[in-house]
Each structure stands twice: as structure tokens, then as C-alpha cells.
Amino acid sequence: MAPPPPESAFPVRFQYDLNYASADNGIKRLVKEHSLRDLTTQYISILWDEGSHKTNVRSFLGEISEILSGERFSVFTQEMLDSVIGTLRERGNSNATINRKMAALSKLLRKACKMGDIYNLPEFRRQKERQGRIRFLEAEEEQRLFSAIRTRCDDSYRLSVFLVDTGCRLGEAIGLSWNDLQDSRSTFWLTKSGRSRTVPLTARAREVIHIPHARLKGPFSMHNQVRFRAIWNDAKAEVGLGSDDQVVPHILRHTCASRLVRGGIDIRRVQIWLGHQTLWMTMRYAHLATNDLDSCVAVLERH
């Protein structure tokens, strides 16, 4: 048998640069490159339920994909993340908006990493958010606005009353079925957090859901968000609130929370009522609890 040729007999050498990811079972496999659009298509329906939140997430991830210009990657670097955040800020996004978009990106990338599609993650740091003024309706504003809504559509009026007296989100109310309304209570299953909650109903909330069932799925199923917002905008313009960009349907949730806090309900119970995942989200309303500070005056006056 002839001896093997010397190494110098091969003038060309090949070098390979392969990236591997370790799956949960310890087996290593080759990591391919993916675009953010690829990962969004693959995992968005696994990570997010159908609804308005998923629609927002799709929009967020689509914008980030556009910023990345379809770049394919097997690792999402810190430089890529910093570039995305910088571009969003240049486009006028507030820190609060950037945080929401980064939350969607982080959740998607963590899933991709766990599945072995990418093999490293950048460090996500929450941007500092300013505590903005929370706008809510005074009783007189509510009366004028609701009266204008009622002249346009009685179903929209009923929905408005229910929103302000329960503090639920618009999508939660529209998605109610008759079975969700039992014993003067409403249970919200289709929530932003994915956690159900049940709240008791006020007398007028009970009144506005008392309609013939007919073929309706629920008391507000004849509505959709686009139609309600159109009626809302027409009514608010009529009563002189058209230039106030904070007077949107979500203001009814703020109004409910503010009334609970100003009425002496402790912040923990307000959190449970609203369905906030963390107490930090509810603390935005804590400054309204001015009655809790009245006892401080007596202490100070003694000195």
C-alpha cells in the first residue's frame, strides 16, 4: 500500500465557521440564519392570542423588521438592538412606546433562542418612562359626552356606561357573552394579561346589559371597535372636546380607576379590579388618594 501523500501535496485548505445552538435535550444542531420577519411568522400565533394586542405586536415587529432592512442573523447582537432603539427614538417614539415594542421583540427572541433558531440574546434594559398626567372625565364631562353619544346610538351609550362603571377595556366589553354575566357580576376572560377577573356590577351597569338576547352573542356584540370609536369621536367633537387627544374610549378606564381611588378604595383592590399584572401599573393613580394624607396635617400642626 502506498504511503499517504504529504500534507504539502494539498495546496488548498478549507475553513468552516459553523454556529451551533444547544437544545434543551443537550443535542447540538446547526443554527441557520433567520430574518425577524421569518421568526414573527413562525411564532406570533404561538406567543400571542388573537385580538387587538396581537395586532399591535405584529405592527411593532413589522416596524423593527423594516428598520433592520430584512437582515438575516443567527445571533441578535447588542449593536443591532441599540441601532433599533436609536432609530425608534429618532422617529419620535417615547420611552413608553419603545418599551412596549422592545417587550414584543424580547418575547419573540427568547422563544427563538429556546427553540434553537438563534444562540444568543442581547441585554434588554427598560427605558425610563416619565409619569404623565392621567386624564379622566369629571361628572359633568361624562354627562355631556354620554348624552351626545346616546343621541347617535343607544347601544354605544350602553357600552360607554358599562366601560366607565366596570373599568374594563373596550375589547373586553365587546367580547362578553351572556354566560359571562352571572349574579350581578361580570367575568372578563379575553383580557390583555391573559388572566380572567370578575367584578361586581353597579346598578346602572346592570341596567345597560338588560336587553333582549335575540341572536346576540353578548350585550355589546353588535358593536366593533371601529364603529364605536367613530361614534365617540363625533360626539366628543360636538361637546367641545374634539381637540383633546386624551379623550379616547380608554379614558373611561382611567375615570373608573380615579373614582375608586378618590373614593377611598385602597390601591391593592383597585389593582385587582382593573386586572393589572403588577401594582406598579396601578400606582399611577395613587396620587389621587389625597384623603389618606389628611391625618398628616394634624401631626404637623402639633409641632
Side-chain angles (χ1 to χ4, degrees):
M1 178 180 295
E7 186 176 341
S8 59
F10 294 93
V12 179
R13 293 185 180 182
F14 296 92
Q15 292 184 337
Y16 296 90
D17 183 15
L18 301 178
N19 294 320
Y20 288 86
S22 177
D24 291 341
N25 58 11
I27 299 175
K28 294 183 180 295
R29 65 185 181 85
L30 181 65
V31 175
K32 300 179 181 179
E33 292 188 335
H34 301 269
S35 69
L36 191 66
R37 187 178 300 278
D38 294 337
L39 297 177
T40 301
T41 300
Q42 186 168 355
Y43 295 120
I44 190 168
S45 293
I46 297 173
L47 296 174
W48 289 278
D49 293 331
E50 293 297 332
S52 59
H53 182 55
K54 180 179 177 180
T55 301
N56 290 337
V57 165
R58 190 186 300 278
S59 175
F60 295 161
L61 295 174
E63 181 180 8
I64 297 170
S65 179
E66 175 261 318
I67 292 172
L68 294 171
S69 301
E71 179 179 349
R72 303 183 70 83
F73 54 86
S74 57
V75 54
F76 199 98
T77 66
Q78 196 69 43
E79 290 75 13
M80 292 169 66
L81 179 62
D82 292 344
S83 176
V84 168
I85 292 175
T87 301
L88 291 174
R89 186 164 285 121
E90 289 173 0
R91 293 181 175 183
N93 287 243
S94 67
N95 282 355
T97 301
I98 292 174
N99 283 335
R100 288 196 294 273
K101 293 178 179 180
M102 291 304 101
L105 177 62
S106 174
K107 187 172 182 178
L108 178 65
L109 293 181
R110 282 188 282 112
K111 177 64 173 179
C113 188
K114 184 174 182 180
M115 300 304 294
D117 295 310
I118 59 176
Y119 68 95
N120 195 24
L121 294 174
E123 179 183 3
F124 285 85
R125 292 186 177 181
R126 185 175 182 84
Q127 307 296 308
K128 187 175 181 179
E129 298 182 18
R130 292 183 179 180
Q131 183 67 48
R133 175 176 179 265
I134 295 177
R135 175 77 160 90
F136 52 86
L137 296 178
E138 298 292 353
E140 180 270 335
E141 290 180 312
E142 177 192 309
Q143 183 178 7
R144 286 191 293 120
L145 180 59
F146 282 15
S147 177
I149 290 173
R150 192 169 197 173
T151 61
R152 287 164 170 78
C153 175
D154 192 63
D155 289 332
S156 295
Y157 165 75
R158 292 189 305 102
L159 177 53
S160 298
V161 169
F162 189 84
L163 290 172
V164 78
D165 274 15
T166 63
C168 71
R169 299 176 181 88
L170 179 56
E172 293 172 347
I174 292 175
L176 281 174
S177 69
W178 294 113
N179 287 336
D180 299 333
L181 302 164
Q182 301 287 339
D183 300 324
S184 299
R185 282 170 163 73
S186 176
T187 298
F188 302 103
W189 298 97
L190 305 175
T191 65
K192 184 177 179 180
S193 67
R195 300 175 182 176
S196 63
R197 71 182 185 281
T198 300
V199 300
L201 299 178
T202 64
R204 68 171 184 169
R206 294 196 301 270
E207 181 181 350
V208 297
I209 63 172
H210 189 66
I211 62 171
H213 290 201
R215 296 185 178 181
L216 295 172
K217 176 186 174 183
F220 309 111
S221 60
M222 74 290 293
H223 260 299
N224 60 59
Q225 295 199 31
V226 173
R227 177 174 176 243
F228 179 74
R229 292 180 191 278
I231 293 170
W232 173 279
N233 288 335
D234 285 346
K236 85 167 192 175
E238 178 188 318
V239 298
L241 296 172
S243 61
D244 193 333
D245 59 5
Q246 295 190 68
V247 180
V248 295
H250 197 73
I251 199 177
L252 300 179
R253 181 167 165 86
H254 291 320
T255 301
C256 178
S258 69
R259 289 174 181 174
L260 290 173
V261 173
R262 288 192 294 178
I265 303 300
D266 68 85
I267 205 72
R268 174 62 179 169
R269 281 193 287 171
V270 176
Q271 177 195 359
I272 295 172
W273 182 283
L274 296 176
H276 285 157
Q277 292 189 59
T278 64
L279 189 59
W280 177 85
M281 299 174 69
T282 319
M283 288 301 294
R284 295 177 297 171
Y285 306 101
H287 69 283
L288 298 172
T290 53
N291 292 337
D292 291 347
L293 303 180
D294 289 348
S295 59
C296 299
V297 176
V299 173
L300 293 172
E301 287 181 340
R302 289 198 299 265
H303 296 277

